[in-house]
């Protein structure tokens, strides 16, 4: 639904990012996943969609990273190695989805599976700690319907592959030819 924020809440809870503690400007708040509200100027139709790292096949963030901290796993998941990240933020500038955020302050109460570090960039990991265990990302599990589906786009037997054969889907900024791993329908 338009107002549903279950996926955002689930991500925050699972990864422990929450709202920034500094009380500063919104651009300093963690941006792993957020709701974007769209309004069609001609019809007035309003749509809300979750915006997160699009896990691009040709990831601009990976291309510009000088240390290799931004990298893509063999399965297509794009990650940041916080130990290699020098905080230059080139990846943030290169991302057309504004899907990365910078940690400006010391953090407390971190999740054991998701250590985060001041002075580094972070973004959606598709919950790799769960995926590697054969589980779905927190955002998918939170919705409890086919509104959000996770799987291997290239596996002909996967639910996501079967679904995308039947319904029209869209890549955000398809004109950039990044071949995103995240697809949307109904927009």
């Amino acid at each position: 639904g338009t107002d549903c924020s279950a996926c955002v809440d689930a991500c925050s809870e699972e990864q422990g990012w929450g709202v920034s503690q500094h009380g500063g400007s919104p651009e300093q708040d963690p941006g792993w996943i957020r709701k974007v509200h769209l309004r069609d100027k001609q019809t007035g139709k309003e749509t809300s969609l979750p915006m997160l790292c699009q896990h691009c096949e040709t990831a601009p963030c990976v291309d510009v990273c000088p240390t290799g901290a931004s990298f893509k796993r063999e399965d297509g998941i794009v990650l940041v190695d916080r130990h290699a990240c020098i905080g230059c933020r080139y990846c943030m500038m290169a991302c057309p989805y504004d899907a990365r955020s910078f940690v400006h302050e010391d953090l407390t109460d971190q999740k054991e599976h998701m250590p985060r570090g001041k002075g580094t960039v972070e973004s959606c990991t598709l919950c790799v700690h769960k995926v590697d265990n054969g589980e779905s990302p927190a955002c998918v599990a939170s919705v409890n319907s086919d509104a959000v589906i996770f799987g291997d786009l290239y596996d002909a037997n996967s639910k996501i592959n079967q679904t995308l054969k039947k319904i029209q889907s869209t890549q955000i900024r398809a004109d950039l030819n990044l071949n995103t791993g995240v697809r949307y329908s109904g927009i």
Side-chain angles (χ1 to χ4, degrees):
T2 314
D3 301 14
C4 180
S5 63
C7 55
V8 177
D9 297 341
C11 177
S12 176
E13 174 65 28
E14 180 68 32
Q15 305 291 22
W17 48 265
V19 175
S20 181
Q21 301 164 5
H22 61 76
S25 54
E27 63 268 12
Q28 291 185 9
D29 286 340
W32 292 42
I33 183 172
R34 66 189 190 283
K35 293 306 283 278
V36 175
H37 301 283
L38 309 174
R39 185 176 180 275
D40 187 308
K41 289 179 182 174
Q42 290 183 313
T43 65
K45 180 182 185 240
E46 294 189 4
T47 309
S48 176
L49 57 89
M51 183 59 68
L52 61 155
C53 172
Q54 300 291 290
H55 299 277
C56 307
E57 182 177 57
T58 311
C61 57
V62 172
D63 290 344
V64 300
C65 182
T67 65
S70 288
F71 69 100
K72 189 171 62 132
R73 292 189 351 164
E74 200 170 305
D75 62 5
I77 296 175
V78 176
L79 298 172
V80 179
D81 177 347
R82 72 179 181 92
H83 298 292
C85 179
I86 59 171
C88 70
R89 297 178 247 185
Y90 289 167
C91 61
M92 291 178 68
M93 290 180 273
C95 178
Y97 306 104
D98 192 26
R100 294 197 158 192
S101 49
F102 185 76
V103 182
H104 290 269
E105 66 233 355
D106 289 321
L107 301 169
T108 56
D109 301 322
Q110 296 189 54
K111 302 285 184 175
E112 189 177 321
H113 63 267
M114 183 43 60
R116 301 167 61 220
K118 180 179 179 180
T120 62
V121 173
E122 58 187 21
S123 66
C124 163
T125 66
L126 281 180
C127 292
V128 290
H129 62 288
K130 294 171 84 72
V131 171
D132 290 346
N133 251 358
E135 302 171 61
S136 291
C139 59
V140 177
S142 72
V143 175
N144 198 23
S145 76
D146 284 346
V148 183
I149 303 170
F150 175 79
D152 184 347
L153 280 170
Y154 297 107
D155 176 359
N157 297 316
S158 71
K159 186 175 191 177
I160 187 78
N161 185 294
Q162 293 292 319
T163 302
L164 292 178
K165 283 179 182 168
K166 294 177 198 156
I167 64 164
Q168 176 65 40
S169 70
T170 306
Q171 295 180 55
I172 303 295
R173 292 298 314 267
D175 58 307
L176 297 175
N177 296 317
L178 301 176
N179 194 21
T180 59
V182 177
R183 307 295 166 92
Y184 297 87
S185 65
I187 59 170

